[in-house]
Amino acid sequence: MQTVVIKGPSTLKGQIKISGSKNASLPIIISTLLAKDQCLIHNVPNLRDTRFLISILRDLGCDLDFQKNTLFIRSSAITKKSADYEYVRQMRASIVILGPAISRYKKFKIALPGGCSIGTRGIDLHLNALKLMGVKISIKNGYVIAERKKNNLNSIDHKFPKISVGATQNILMAASLANGKSTLKNCAIEPEVIDLINFLNKCGALIKVKNRTITVRGVEELKLQDYKVIPDRIEAGSYILATMATKGRLKLNNFNPKDLALPLKVYKEMGLKIKKLSNSSYEIYCKKLKSIKKISTKEFPGYPTDLQAQLIATQLKSGLNSKVVENIFENRFIHIPELRRFGANLSIKGKTVTIDKTSDLLGAEVMATDIRASFSLIIAAMMSKGKTVINRIYHLDRGYEDFDLKLKKCGVNIIRKK
Ligand code: UD1
């Protein structure tokens, strides 16, 4: 298993090009199952998760070719009507295949995704809405078996009992080819959801967003079009926090601050300075890092759960009874015991982590646990004196394109060991 070794302390200085968004690329690629013909998707990050999704779609019978962040997809008809356990267990986002697949084909089965290290992560919101659309759902031998009798799915007027990114994406895709107009209320409106909608609309879908209500007028067919995925706001936020933690200076290219409005407001209060160089290029630096009082994760436009672990790491040397509350997942603090190995002063009570500063952080041997939590270990390693070894870096490779090369170019003493 690969590891990275970081010798700290380091200061992040230089420039980084933000990759295409992982969380936008995955549903956009999946949504091509809704249509015949072919397209090119540009700005797709070359990550373990995107390569993995490509192998799932190939297994279903689609024709794909991925080169230099551009994905060619020909998705005329799938030959296999089952997404197997072997694939789904490794990437929970694959549950989003069910909506488009059952809207195009009369029967489809997909392995139950199960829980994961950050929480139970049910799929009831996905399945309940599909049932209302006329899909018969049964669970057998660890698989969700979906069947429909009618030629098309029914449109629905539905309020999600809880805001879910995955369920919103799944159901709006299914509704794109349904009979009539669907009204979906209490939807997730993350930039990645909007990017999927922009892609589908370019392909001929009729989808509108107003506050948290999404209306989808079903069309007879979609025609795939070339598309460029938005920049990854979570990757950008992670490098911004790393710059702040190390009092560095960075030029961020291919960055859209609008998608990160609230986190940037918080970071500016913490001491971040940001200067616009062009429409997609910004200089950021931080000379003095202040402590936060209390930040709670929330659905967009709130503070993202995907930047919670990195925020905690950034506060390790400046926190003063600083509190971070996790509201999206019930078990997303597995990085806390790992951060303690550096000497961090952290306590957990229910959904809240309290950070009190430690003057000395020392490098340690730690383990990556999930994609975003893993980046908090990188930040801690850069703030610490001496050698840190991060094990199980496949988590980082799932979400951060060329992270070791990008960091090395900005002066971090980092080596990947095979
Ligand atoms: C979530 C995050 C997303 C992040 C991703 C990966 C939110 C709202 N969603 O998206 O920003 O990029 O994780 O870290 O911030 N739930 C159910 N039943 C369901 C579906 C979800 O109970 O059928 C619950 C989940 O367990 C979770 C919450 O709803 O507590 C939000 O889940 P959801 O948005 O669906 O998760 P992801 O799509 O993975």
Side-chain angles (χ1 to χ4, degrees):
M1 221 168 265
Q2 293 193 2
T3 59
V4 287
V5 178
I6 296 177
K7 287 199 183 121
S10 332
T11 303
L12 208 54
K13 270 197 179 139
Q15 53 176 309
I16 284 180
K17 182 177 175 223
I18 299 304
S19 299
S21 161
K22 169 180 90 73
N23 289 348
S25 297
L26 299 177
I28 287 174
I29 296 167
I30 288 171
S31 75
T32 60
L33 289 172
L34 287 164
K36 297 179 192 141
D37 65 67
Q38 60 192 53
C39 69
L40 293 172
I41 309 289
H42 303 287
N43 209 28
V44 175
N46 185 0
L47 294 168
R48 213 166 168 257
D49 271 16
T50 41
R51 293 193 298 269
F52 192 67
L53 178 62
I54 290 168
S55 56
I56 298 182
L57 293 186
R58 275 204 190 113
D59 186 54
L60 296 180
C62 305
D63 183 8
L64 300 109
D65 184 32
F66 189 30
Q67 278 180 43
K68 292 190 181 151
N69 298 112
T70 291
L71 180 64
F72 166 82
I73 307 179
R74 187 183 296 125
S75 183
S76 43
I78 57 173
T79 46
K80 187 174 162 187
K81 308 284 172 8
S82 164
D84 295 343
Y85 171 76
E86 193 42 38
Y87 291 113
V88 179
R89 83 181 167 87
Q90 294 195 52
M91 200 176 68
R92 284 195 46 92
S94 37
I95 187 64
V96 169
I97 292 174
L98 186 60
I102 197 60
S103 93
R104 250 196 94 193
Y105 306 99
K106 287 207 161 160
K107 189 168 177 182
F108 193 82
K109 68 176 198 170
I110 185 161
L112 275 167
C116 72
S117 58
I118 64 174
T120 45
R121 302 181 88 173
I123 53 165
D124 51 314
L125 302 175
H126 305 242
L127 300 188
N128 290 342
L130 285 174
K131 281 182 195 162
L132 294 172
M133 298 179 90
V135 181
K136 198 176 138 238
I137 303 268
S138 53
I139 312 253
K140 235 187 240 163
N141 309 114
Y143 277 78
V144 178
I145 300 165
E147 288 174 86
R148 68 173 158 90
K149 291 250 151 27
K150 290 193 192 160
N151 278 341
N152 290 311
L153 295 177
N154 306 326
S155 51
I156 48 168
D157 190 340
H158 180 60
K159 181 174 178 190
F160 289 107
K162 190 172 181 183
I163 297 170
S164 156
V165 172
T168 301
Q169 292 166 335
N170 216 346
I171 303 310
L172 77 86
M173 285 193 265
S176 302
L177 297 181
N179 272 334
K181 178 181 156 193
S182 295
T183 305
L184 308 173
K185 295 177 195 133
N186 204 27
C187 291
I189 46 166
E190 268 64 3
E192 296 77 17
V193 175
I194 305 300
D195 208 34
L196 169 67
I197 292 174
N198 289 340
F199 172 64
L200 290 173
N201 281 344
K202 196 173 178 200
C203 298
L206 297 171
I207 307 173
K208 283 188 181 150
V209 186
K210 194 173 175 206
N211 302 322
R212 287 203 179 274
T213 299
I214 297 180
T215 50
V216 188
R217 219 172 264 283
V219 293
E220 249 167 51
E221 64 168 6
L222 295 175
K223 217 170 154 22
L224 294 181
Q225 302 291 327
D226 295 350
Y227 193 72
K228 187 175 173 199
V229 174
I230 54 168
D232 197 310
R233 66 188 169 111
I234 303 302
E235 189 200 17
S238 303
Y239 285 118
I240 291 171
L241 286 168
T243 309
M244 293 168 67
T246 62
K247 303 203 176 81
R249 187 178 282 267
L250 211 59
K251 186 176 160 202
L252 281 182
N253 298 320
N254 193 32
F255 169 53
N256 179 3
K258 282 195 192 122
D259 289 343
L260 214 55
L262 184 116
L264 286 177
K265 189 168 169 260
V266 172
Y267 303 161
K268 281 180 190 163
E269 281 162 17
M270 289 165 67
L272 175 73
K273 305 279 181 233
I274 177 160
K275 210 165 95 188
K276 185 173 179 175
L277 302 174
S278 75
N279 278 344
S280 61
S281 166
Y282 291 79
E283 186 182 37
I284 58 158
Y285 61 94
C286 179
K287 287 190 177 150
K288 190 171 177 333
L289 191 60
K290 292 180 215 150
S291 68
I292 53 166
K293 283 201 176 78
K294 185 174 169 185
I295 302 294
S296 304
T297 63
K298 220 176 168 330
E299 299 85 4
F300 188 87
Y303 190 87
T305 173
D306 281 352
L307 287 170
Q308 174 254 101
Q310 303 89 316
L311 175 67
I312 291 175
T314 304
Q315 286 282 295
L316 295 181
K317 278 186 167 179
S318 52
L320 281 174
N321 197 26
S322 300
K323 302 206 184 302
V324 175
V325 183
E326 172 57 52
N327 286 316
I328 306 295
F329 292 110
E330 72 272 25
N331 186 25
R332 205 176 192 178
F333 285 143
I334 23 175
H335 43 289
I336 300 301
E338 296 306 306
L339 289 173
R340 284 194 187 119
R341 294 183 198 274
F342 294 91
N345 192 354
L346 301 167
S347 57
I348 311 179
K349 202 170 172 199
K351 299 198 290 184
T352 307
V353 166
T354 304
I355 313 144
D356 271 307
K357 64 179 172 187
T358 347
S359 47
D360 268 330
L361 292 170
L362 293 177
E365 178 151 5
V366 291
M367 190 172 80
T369 49
D370 78 66
I371 305 179
R372 309 303 168 188
S374 313
F375 204 89
S376 71
L377 304 179
I378 291 203
I379 294 176
M382 289 168 64
M383 292 164 84
S384 298
K385 266 191 219 137
K387 178 175 154 187
T388 290
V389 180
I390 306 180
N391 294 295
R392 298 199 181 177
I393 55 157
Y394 57 85
H395 288 291
L396 282 156
D397 289 326
R398 287 185 58 197
Y400 291 94
E401 188 175 43
D402 295 334
F403 73 92
D404 46 332
L405 303 178
K406 289 184 182 183
L407 290 168
K408 196 179 221 148
K409 260 179 66 187
C410 292
V412 182
N413 186 339
I414 178 169
I415 299 171
R416 180 186 285 258
K417 292 202 165 156
K418 306 221 169 174

